[in-house]
Amino acid sequence: MDPIEIAVAFPRPVFFMAKQELWTPEYAVDIPLIGEITAGEIADFFGAFPVDRKNPSHTTLQHADKLVKAGKLVGLLPDGSRYEDEELKILRGNELGFLHAGIGMLAVANNVPVIPVGVSVRRESNKKGKNKIKKVAVVIKEGIMPETDRPKK
């Protein structure tokens, strides 16, 4: 749930594109006094909105563009996924996977910086073999302005 981890750590609200699967019953949990709720419904509280990672719709990118134009921060995982702990490629400065074009399009079209953020989650297995989160670290780097011929705002 990178969007929630980043939203909690960031000094301003971040509106995250999150995989649409988070809004399905597969990602539901039962919370006492509330009932069953999906991870997407929890992410809604933090301003997340769904994206089909295989076929991002024009409407989703328009929504992100409207948020940026309104001065809001939009969060994207540029390669559409997260790395396991041993592959902390963003934090270690190694190469990333395939990058989707959305982050670059938004940054160039709106002449705004890209702010690199890395999330590290350390897990340990309990006696029942289930993973338990032991530590979460969010690293926020200085923004990078895209190179473009457009005049600076």
Side-chain angles (χ1 to χ4, degrees):
M1 294 279 306
D2 290 344
I4 293 173
E5 294 154 349
I6 292 170
V8 169
F10 225 84
R12 288 176 49 196
V14 180
F15 297 83
F16 249 93
M17 266 190 206
K19 63 183 180 180
Q20 68 182 8
E21 295 86 356
L22 294 179
W23 281 262
T24 65
E26 178 184 350
Y27 288 87
V29 294
D30 192 28
I31 299 175
L33 302 174
I34 294 175
E36 189 171 275
I37 187 169
T38 66
E41 291 168 318
I42 295 168
D44 283 339
F45 178 77
F46 291 94
F49 55 100
V51 62
D52 180 345
R53 296 181 300 169
K54 292 181 180 140
N55 295 306
S57 73
H58 187 66
T59 305
T60 302
L61 291 174
Q62 282 180 323
H63 179 67
D65 188 60
K66 285 179 185 175
L67 289 167
V68 172
K69 282 181 175 28
K72 308 291 184 194
L73 297 177
V74 173
L76 301 157
L77 298 174
D79 59 346
S81 189
R82 70 166 20 204
Y83 294 106
E84 294 302 320
D85 289 337
E86 63 272 10
E87 297 182 294
L88 292 173
K89 294 182 178 184
I90 295 172
L91 297 176
R92 293 186 181 154
N94 297 333
E95 68 183 67
L96 292 168
F98 172 79
L99 300 181
H100 295 280
I103 192 167
M105 287 185 341
L106 285 172
V108 170
N110 293 287
N111 200 26
V112 295
V114 174
I115 303 170
V117 178
V119 178
S120 169
V121 179
R122 187 180 311 152
R123 295 180 173 87
E124 289 183 8
S125 295
N126 63 17
K127 292 178 184 177
K128 295 180 182 179
K130 292 192 174 190
N131 281 333
K132 182 178 178 183
I133 295 174
K134 292 297 279 183
K135 184 178 181 181
V136 176
V138 177
V139 178
I140 302 167
K141 297 289 188 173
E142 189 171 328
I144 302 166
M145 284 301 294
E147 291 186 25
T148 177
D149 293 337
R150 293 174 180 237
K152 304 278 187 234
K153 285 187 177 179

